[in-house]
Amino acid sequence: MNLASDGGVSPLPSLSRQLSPGDVNMDLTMCGLLVERAEELARLYAEYGNWNEVKEIWFDERLSNRSTRDSSQKIYRVLTSRFKNAPTALPNPSILPAIFDECQTTRDKAQILYLYLISDDSLVRYVVHGYIARFAEGKLDPLDFSNETLVDILTRLEYSDGDSFNYAESTIERWCEGFRSVMRKIGVLDGQQSVVGVPPSIGDISLLVAMDYSYESDDDEWLTAPRGLLYLFQPENRWEELFDRVASTDAWEYLELHGDLNVRPSDEPYLWAHDGGDS
């Protein structure tokens, strides 16, 4: 197979000059992945099928004091935004509970929710694209998430109107800590103090989601840059092993097309989730 970094070109484009100031926010400073709360919202949505009802039930179950309710409102807005704005390439939130039920660990659930975060949060997506570019170029310590490295990537962001990234230093520091918190949840960083990470191992269910997402996100060339695997910082030398893993399930298979061996979903993406997660 021809792989994404052949020719030294970054597999995913920089979002610099593609984002307007209005596309960028600091939501990560107040709301990370929050796996348990996100799972609760997904289960409510799967049960009621209506975000208005979900909202009413969510706040009825929160404590009545104002500070807690105000915090819950912010968390609700951010978490539901990730679900409401999810692209069709990701599972509909209504089937997430069935997917979560098949996950072996909280990390597996976090890796799935991480894809919703990236899709909804332009700044997170921009920074992750920056790391993927470094990864493809073979730079040393590509998964260094120190403030220095993160700020270097952030300050390179130039908006479509020509303005530059500009937030208070304290806000940027909180954002960097929020980003590292996400990296801990998905298994890239180990421990509260670590800032340099490694590509995480991927559970079977989160791998199926990452592969279906990759297949649905891009055109026929998706195999040269599987977006879900790149977002989870999987180097190319792992891809063949990961392709073999999904092909060993009922959900994916190898097919020979035009003399090349390709891996493809056996049926519609995410149908395995509707079938009870049978893989």
Side-chain angles (χ1 to χ4, degrees):
M1 297 179 183
N2 292 322
L3 297 179
S5 65
D6 289 353
V9 177
S10 176
L12 295 175
S14 170
L15 299 180
S16 187
R17 301 282 293 182
Q18 295 183 25
L19 302 176
S20 70
D23 293 329
V24 173
N25 61 62
M26 289 280 116
D27 282 349
L28 195 62
T29 61
M30 62 181 172
C31 186
L33 290 179
L34 298 182
V35 176
E36 290 185 0
R37 296 190 189 187
E39 183 175 2
E40 179 185 353
L41 285 169
R43 292 190 184 279
L44 287 172
Y45 183 72
E47 181 176 357
Y48 294 98
N50 182 296
W51 286 114
N52 289 330
E53 288 191 62
V54 169
K55 184 176 182 179
E56 182 177 344
I57 294 168
W58 169 268
F59 287 113
D60 282 347
E61 294 177 352
R62 302 303 107 187
L63 297 176
S64 61
N65 76 72
R66 181 175 178 80
S67 61
T68 301
R69 187 173 180 85
D70 287 347
S71 175
S72 293
Q73 287 176 333
K74 293 176 183 177
I75 290 170
Y76 179 86
R77 176 184 64 78
V78 176
L79 291 181
T80 57
S81 174
R82 296 171 190 171
F83 289 144
K84 292 176 182 179
N85 296 324
T88 56
L90 284 170
N92 188 285
S94 63
I95 65 170
L96 275 178
I99 293 174
F100 287 152
D101 286 343
E102 297 299 318
C103 290
Q104 297 297 309
T105 66
T106 300
R107 184 198 62 202
D108 297 343
K109 297 176 184 179
Q111 290 176 347
I112 293 168
L113 290 169
Y114 166 69
L115 298 177
Y116 289 83
L117 166 66
I118 289 181
S119 295
D120 185 53
D121 193 313
S122 298
L123 189 57
V124 172
R125 188 165 65 253
Y126 164 77
V127 170
V128 171
H129 279 219
Y131 276 94
I132 291 170
R134 290 171 176 235
F135 215 81
E137 293 167 5
K139 292 190 175 180
L140 296 177
D141 298 325
L143 297 183
D144 174 2
F145 298 112
S146 64
N147 280 13
E148 180 181 4
T149 303
L150 283 166
V151 170
D152 179 63
I153 294 175
L154 288 169
T155 54
R156 292 175 185 267
L157 175 57
E158 185 179 1
Y159 296 120
S160 57
D161 63 2
D163 284 346
S164 298
F165 182 81
N166 184 23
Y167 281 90
E169 183 177 343
S170 59
T171 301
I172 294 175
E173 288 181 357
R174 291 200 310 274
W175 191 94
C176 291
E177 182 50 49
F179 191 90
R180 284 191 292 270
S181 174
V182 170
M183 294 299 107
R184 292 185 199 105
K185 292 290 187 183
I186 67 173
V188 175
L189 291 176
D190 183 21
Q192 291 296 314
Q193 303 304 317
S194 60
V195 296
V196 177
V198 296
S201 59
I202 306 179
D204 292 340
I205 300 302
S206 47
L207 175 59
L208 282 172
V209 172
M211 286 292 290
D212 281 3
Y213 171 66
S214 300
Y215 180 78
E216 288 286 271
S217 291
D218 296 299
D219 57 21
D220 290 340
E221 301 301 317
W222 74 272
L223 201 58
T224 65
R227 190 173 294 257
L229 300 186
L230 289 168
Y231 282 167
L232 286 166
F233 305 108
Q234 298 301 299
E236 291 174 8
N237 60 16
R238 285 191 182 179
W239 292 1
E240 186 173 352
E241 172 197 345
L242 296 173
F243 293 160
D244 287 344
R245 277 178 59 192
V246 292
S248 70
T249 71
D250 294 335
W252 281 71
E253 61 186 351
Y254 277 117
L255 295 174
E256 186 173 347
L257 298 173
H258 309 299
D260 293 327
L261 193 62
N262 292 277
V263 65
R264 289 286 190 275
S266 303
D267 212 314
E268 292 295 320
Y270 306 117
L271 185 63
W272 53 266
H274 291 282
D275 291 341
D278 182 18
S279 57

